[in-house]
């Protein structure tokens, strides 16, 4: 788990405390701003790894702060928080330049996982379409997977799941994140579709005596181990 | 068809009624005219009687006979005829021949010795010792007038029959047209379009008045409905924040507690909170969809590809749960729609089917496109829903007894219906014999979107 330097922009003191507490538990460093102007000031002063930005703020609202940041060529990844959770708001937030969108209330594991993911995504990656994680090698263009040089045939969704886990190697990926990135679902079905696909993926990845590279994080999601 | 038939028979009935009334009027005119004309003739007979018998019928037979002979000799045209009979019934004076006539006034047919038979009135007066005097007068006026009256009546009957049929048909057609307009508006409202109003043509007729009143009632109902929806989504929205705080507090308890027992209870409490949040999310989703703003985002969606993806996605989980899911071969169908919402609709239906059936059940997804329009169906071979309860389960928070112990919040079908309505589609619950079939039928014209465009959006 990477420790991060975070800026939390929220006017709700209870939520401020909740986010800072859980971020500090995870070892992150947290700076708090209560309004948009203060946040823009801090962002101009120094660099943060990621920003947690509430959409509803007194005065300058979250969307305007985000647009101003992007206009100022600030590429710091932004996780936007909203109490609304409606489809159109989500689209609007992502269009304005948010890297991810989280509906209040949320579990802190969800916040953790999403922060790690947007920071990871913002890091420069090589031009190669081949990614590796431990014994696994994925060709993202050809949708091919090798484990220890042995080809593993996967169906489309299984490949998508594995690719998402590999991209976030050694970090927790929540079920909601997988539903959004692999299936494009903006709602949470009651059926455990993620779990069933993961179990098939596991069966296909591991033959006799091979260790399972996927770890279940109870109540939250999954993590792919880079080293077995 | 039946309506048109009924309409025609109403027209015929009114026409007949018209004609019958006209006939009754004519008949009464006829009777009155006949009576009055008879009265005129009778008055003449009475004058004749007094001339013959004196005011008290007191004259003797021979003087009556003398008077009759005097009269008959004097007159040239046979206006009035006489016949005098003695006690044995023998004619003793007068030339007129009649059939048997009762005492007093009566109608009769008579003949003078020289002339033809004609109709008239007779007055028979009994005299002393069995003798009888009969005076007869022609009812010429009545004879001429009544046939004219009869012909007039026949024409009146014909005209009023035709006029009655025509006017009542025209009237009932006009009424039917107004009724049809109202019925169509009412059907649309029943189908869920609360913005629909009764047609008003500004004529100020009774129908317009009626329509205006109904429209005011609909305005009121619409306002109340909007109010209820607003309140429920406000409640859902405002309860989320305190609920979020509760979850945060539960997290902080879990942070400091070492006891397994406490941790378990905290986890349980968290799950309950999540269930509440899910209900709020569903309520907000429904009101968002009902607001209709998503319609602006409609794109062409390939339903067959959408179904393939959903079935691929759900097959593992459904199979792990001991049930099976199959997609029947589906034709390529494109409708304008919101891909996310249509996905959610299908997911809800599949989850419902899985939730309300026993392990071993088979869920069949199918797509058809015929004259009735494109239709998605999700069928199961479970217990189904009795016909009488089917409309009930579409309402929010309604859960039938059989499923109260299963997970779910009673909002699944309400959400499905909201999404379907946004797409101008209708949701019907049918008997899959055995099991339940949920059918989402789109408008017949819905599938007329360019396929090449659709492919790009569908994947």
């Amino acid at each position: 788990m990477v420790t991060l330097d975070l800026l939390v922009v929220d006017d709700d003191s209870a939520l401020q405390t909740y986010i800072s507490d859980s971020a500090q538990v995870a070892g992150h460093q947290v700076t708090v701003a209560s309004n948009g102007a203060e946040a823009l000031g801090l962002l101009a002063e120094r660099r943060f790894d990621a920003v947690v930005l509430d959409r509803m703020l007194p005065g300058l609202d979250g969307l305007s702060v985000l647009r101003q940041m992007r206009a100022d060529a600030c590429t710091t990844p932004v996780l936007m928080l909203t109490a609304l959770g409606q489809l159109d708001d989500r689209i609007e937030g992502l269009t304005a330049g948010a890297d991810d969108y989280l509906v209040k209330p949320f579990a802190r594991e969800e916040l953790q996982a999403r922060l790690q993911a947007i920071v990871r995504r913002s890091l420069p990656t090589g031009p190669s379409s081949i990614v590796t994680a431990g014994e696994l090698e994925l060709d993202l263009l050809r949708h091919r997977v090798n484990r220890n040089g042995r080809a593993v045939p996967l169906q489309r969704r299984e490949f998508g799941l594995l690719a998402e886990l590999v991209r976030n190697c050694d970090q927790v990926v929540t079920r909601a994140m997988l539903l959004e990135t692999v299936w494009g679902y903006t709602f949470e079905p009651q059926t455990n579709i993620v779990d069933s696909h993961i179990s098939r993926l596991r069966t296909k990845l591991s033959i006799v005596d091979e260790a399972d590279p996927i770890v279940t994080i109870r109540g939250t999601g999954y993590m792919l181990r880079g080293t077995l | 068809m039946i309506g048109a038939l009924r309409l025609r028979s109403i027209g015929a009935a009114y026409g007949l009624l018209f004609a019958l009334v006209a006939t009754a009027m004519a008949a009464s005119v006829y009777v009155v005219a006949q009576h009055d004309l008879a009265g005129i003739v009778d008055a003449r007979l009475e004058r004749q009687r007094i001339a013959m018998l004196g005011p008290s019928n007191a004259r003797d037979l021979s003087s009556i006979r003398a008077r009759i002979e005097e009269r008959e000799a004097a007159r040239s045209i046979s206006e009035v005829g006489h016949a005098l009979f003695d006690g044995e019934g023998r004619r003793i004076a007068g030339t007129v021949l009649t059939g048997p006539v009762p005492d007093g006034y009566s109608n009769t047919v008579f003949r003078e010795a020289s002339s033809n038979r004609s109709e008239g009135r007779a007055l028979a007066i009994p005299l002393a010792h069995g003798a009888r005097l009969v005076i007869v007068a022609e009812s010429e006026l009545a004879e001429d007038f009544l046939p004219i009256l009869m012909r007039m009546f026949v024409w009146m009957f014909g005209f009023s029959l035709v006029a009655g049929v025509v006017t009542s048909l025209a009237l009932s057609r006009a009424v039917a047209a107004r009724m049809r307009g109202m019925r169509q508006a009412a059907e649309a409202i029943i189908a869920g379009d609360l913005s629909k109003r009764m047609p008003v043509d500004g004529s100020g007729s009774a129908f317009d008045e009626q329509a205006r009143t109904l429209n005011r009632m609909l305005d009121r109902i619409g306002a109340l409905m909007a109010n209820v929806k607003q309140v429920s989504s406000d409640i859902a929205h405002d309860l989320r924040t305190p609920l979020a705080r509760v979850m945060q507090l539960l997290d902080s308890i879990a942070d400091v507690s070492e006891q397994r027992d406490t941790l378990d209870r905290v986890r349980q409490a968290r799950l309950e909170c999540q269930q509440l949040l899910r209900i709020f999310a569903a309520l907000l989703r429904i009101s968002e969809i009902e607001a209709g703003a998503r319609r602006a985002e409609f794109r062409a969606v390939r339903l067959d590809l959408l179904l393939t993806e959903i079935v691929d996605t759900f097959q593992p989980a459904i199979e792990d749960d001991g049930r099976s899911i199959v997609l029947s071969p589906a034709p390529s169908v494109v409708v304008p729609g919101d891909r996310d919402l249509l996905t959610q609709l299908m997911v809800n239906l599949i989850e419902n089917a899985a939730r309300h059936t026993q392990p071993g059940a088979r869920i069949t997804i199918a797509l058809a496109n015929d004259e009735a329009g494109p239709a998605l169906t999700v069928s199961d071979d479970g217990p189904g829903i009795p016909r009488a309860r089917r409309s009930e389960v579409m309402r929010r928070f309604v859960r039938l007894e059989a499923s109260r112990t299963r997970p779910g919040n009673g909002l699944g079908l309400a959400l499905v219906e909201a999404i379907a309505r946004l797409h101008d589609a209708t949701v019907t619950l049918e008997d899959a014999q055995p099991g339940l079939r949920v059918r989402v039928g789109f408008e017949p014209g819905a599938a007329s979107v360019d396929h090449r465009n659709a492919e790009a959006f569908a994947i």
Side-chain angles (χ1 to χ4, degrees):
Chain A
M1 178 124 8
V2 188
T3 57
L4 304 171
D5 189 2
L6 298 174
L7 173 62
V8 174
V9 191
D10 205 313
D11 64 316
D12 178 351
S13 61
L15 197 63
Q16 270 181 13
T17 317
Y18 179 67
I19 297 173
S20 350
D21 284 358
S22 45
Q24 272 152 12
V25 167
H28 304 318
Q29 204 182 321
V30 178
T31 309
V32 174
S34 313
N35 61 58
E38 193 184 338
L40 286 174
L42 284 164
L43 282 164
E45 267 173 40
R46 67 183 186 87
R47 212 195 145 275
F48 292 92
D49 290 324
V51 181
V52 178
L53 178 62
D54 199 329
R55 190 190 160 105
M56 297 241 263
L57 290 171
L60 201 59
D61 72 11
L63 273 183
S64 309
V65 171
L66 179 56
R67 290 201 185 98
Q68 188 59 50
M69 275 176 70
R70 297 309 186 221
D72 294 345
C74 170
T75 55
T76 310
V78 170
L79 174 63
M80 188 158 252
L81 301 181
T82 180
L84 301 170
Q86 305 203 338
L87 285 164
D88 293 339
D89 299 311
R90 184 189 154 79
I91 293 164
E92 200 181 8
L94 295 179
T95 315
D99 295 80
D100 201 353
Y101 204 84
L102 189 54
V103 179
K104 293 192 277 186
F106 46 82
R108 53 188 166 188
E109 293 82 4
E110 195 71 45
L111 178 74
Q112 276 311 323
R114 283 175 190 263
L115 280 173
Q116 294 288 353
I118 61 171
V119 171
R120 168 77 70 102
R121 238 184 287 154
S122 71
L123 298 177
T125 48
S128 167
S129 67
I130 310 283
V131 289
T132 55
E135 298 171 347
L136 294 169
E137 188 185 82
L138 273 73
D139 184 337
L140 297 175
L141 277 184
R142 296 198 181 85
H143 277 214
R144 279 189 196 145
V145 182
N146 283 314
R147 182 171 188 180
N148 283 328
R150 181 188 84 246
V152 181
L154 292 181
Q155 287 183 353
R156 193 157 71 98
R157 294 300 184 203
E158 291 160 355
F159 183 87
L161 267 179
L162 185 60
E164 195 56 28
L165 290 173
V166 167
R167 263 185 219 117
N168 294 287
C169 182
D170 290 319
Q171 288 172 8
V172 180
V173 186
T174 66
R175 287 190 180 81
M177 287 165 75
L178 289 169
L179 282 169
E180 282 169 29
T181 52
V182 180
W183 281 276
Y185 286 5
T186 51
F187 59 95
E188 236 175 295
Q190 314 232 323
T191 318
N192 279 328
I193 56 176
V194 176
D195 298 8
S196 296
H197 280 269
I198 289 276
S199 103
R200 277 157 182 73
L201 177 62
R202 276 179 166 145
T203 316
K204 290 180 182 177
L205 283 180
S206 311
I207 51 172
V208 194
D209 291 344
E210 276 180 332
D212 181 1
I214 300 171
V215 184
T216 304
I217 312 295
R218 197 170 164 235
T220 307
Y222 298 94
M223 186 174 81
L224 186 88
R225 284 180 297 177
T227 49
L228 297 175
Chain B
M1 251 353 260
I2 290 167
L5 278 177
R6 194 171 301 153
L7 194 63
R8 220 162 291 155
S9 62
I10 286 174
Y14 272 98
L16 204 62
L17 189 67
F18 241 66
L20 284 176
V21 169
T23 309
M25 280 167 65
S28 51
V29 167
Y30 187 92
V31 167
V32 169
Q34 201 183 29
H35 179 261
D36 286 5
L37 290 174
I40 293 169
V41 179
D42 291 353
R44 199 159 77 213
L45 289 172
E46 175 63 11
R47 280 197 303 275
Q48 198 63 28
R49 178 186 71 80
I50 295 169
M52 290 292 141
L53 304 178
S56 53
N57 293 359
R59 294 203 168 94
D60 60 57
L61 279 181
S62 57
S63 71
I64 295 169
R65 185 176 160 189
R67 277 169 188 267
I68 289 172
E69 276 163 4
E70 182 190 328
R71 290 255 162 185
E72 294 206 337
R75 77 188 170 125
S76 51
I77 40 167
S78 54
E79 276 184 324
V80 181
H82 307 83
L84 181 64
F85 302 96
D86 66 11
E88 271 78 59
R90 284 184 303 247
R91 181 183 293 261
I92 49 177
T95 53
V96 75
L97 301 171
T98 69
V101 287
D103 289 350
Y105 295 101
S106 60
N107 288 323
T108 185
V109 175
F110 68 93
R111 196 150 70 84
E112 297 273 6
S114 55
S115 66
N116 292 327
R117 290 155 60 90
S118 48
E119 283 179 32
R121 297 276 291 170
L123 172 59
I125 310 139
L127 302 171
H129 312 296
R132 234 172 154 233
L133 173 65
V134 177
I135 310 169
V136 180
E138 250 186 283
S139 41
E140 240 177 302
L141 198 56
E143 243 175 275
D144 295 343
F145 184 60
L146 290 176
I148 295 171
L149 214 53
M150 272 311 285
R151 276 203 302 283
M152 279 168 58
F153 292 160
V154 170
W155 281 103
M156 272 172 72
F157 180 85
F159 277 128
S160 53
L161 185 70
V162 171
V165 168
V166 168
T167 51
S168 62
L169 268 184
L171 192 68
S172 50
R173 193 158 296 188
V175 170
R178 289 301 297 252
M179 298 291 258
R180 190 163 48 241
M182 287 194 174
R183 198 172 54 240
Q184 280 164 353
E187 291 289 349
I189 292 164
I190 291 166
D193 182 2
L194 279 174
S195 66
K196 202 82 186 169
R197 288 294 176 268
M198 299 294 159
V200 174
D201 64 8
S203 65
S205 65
F207 280 109
D208 257 23
E209 281 301 306
Q210 182 87 333
R212 269 184 236 276
T213 309
L214 286 174
N215 286 346
R216 282 213 310 281
M217 182 181 81
L218 289 168
D219 288 344
R220 180 94 184 104
I221 292 171
L224 289 172
M225 290 285 288
N227 203 5
V228 167
K229 280 179 186 165
Q230 187 57 43
V231 165
S232 67
S233 78
D234 284 354
I235 289 173
H237 195 267
D238 289 354
L239 287 184
R240 279 154 63 98
T241 311
L243 198 58
R245 301 246 164 87
V246 170
M247 287 176 77
Q248 289 158 15
L249 287 171
L250 288 171
D251 279 352
S252 64
I253 294 170
D255 284 345
V256 295
S257 173
E258 301 286 319
Q259 285 174 306
R260 174 157 291 277
D261 187 39
T262 309
L263 287 174
D264 277 350
R265 285 187 207 176
V266 166
R267 187 177 305 120
Q268 194 56 41
R270 240 178 159 283
L271 285 177
E272 296 291 343
C273 288
Q274 267 162 359
Q275 176 59 18
L276 271 177
L277 279 171
R278 212 167 275 146
I279 293 173
F280 293 157
L283 278 174
L284 288 171
R285 203 54 149 18
I286 291 173
S287 53
E288 182 193 10
I289 292 163
E290 283 178 342
R294 303 279 303 163
R295 215 185 280 260
E297 305 289 322
F298 273 16
R299 300 273 150 76
V301 180
R302 271 277 298 269
L303 288 180
D304 49 326
L305 297 184
L306 185 85
L307 290 187
T308 309
E309 279 194 26
I310 293 171
V311 171
D312 283 351
T313 297
F314 278 80
Q315 199 158 31
I318 299 276
E319 281 171 3
D320 289 351
D321 218 23
R323 294 163 179 84
S324 63
I325 181 167
V326 286
L327 174 62
S328 304
S332 152
V333 176
V334 180
V335 295
D338 184 308
R339 197 180 151 72
D340 283 351
L341 292 180
L342 287 174
T343 302
Q344 187 161 14
L345 177 149
M346 285 307 296
V347 167
N348 274 23
L349 291 179
I350 291 170
E351 288 183 342
N352 262 348
R355 195 179 304 137
H356 299 295
T357 52
Q358 298 298 319
R362 179 187 168 92
I363 301 164
T364 310
I365 314 294
L367 173 64
N369 188 18
D370 49 34
E371 316 84 69
L376 298 163
T377 52
V378 176
S379 321
D380 63 56
D381 53 5
I385 298 177
R387 179 178 294 276
R389 316 292 305 268
R390 284 182 202 153
S391 62
E392 219 175 302
V393 297
M394 305 295 285
R395 296 209 310 266
R396 290 178 199 189
F397 297 114
V398 170
R399 304 179 64 198
L400 300 184
E401 292 77 12
S403 61
R404 283 204 193 280
T405 52
R406 305 209 181 101
N409 51 32
L411 288 170
L413 276 177
L415 188 58
V416 164
E417 184 153 59
I419 295 173
R421 198 177 297 152
L422 184 75
H423 289 82
D424 291 327
T426 49
V427 182
T428 39
L429 306 185
E430 299 166 353
D431 195 345
Q433 292 178 333
L436 179 68
R437 180 188 301 118
V438 184
R439 181 177 186 281
V440 181
F442 293 82
E443 296 275 303
S448 57
V449 192
D450 185 7
H451 274 220
R452 282 161 303 168
N453 264 342
E455 303 269 2
F457 289 115
I459 301 192

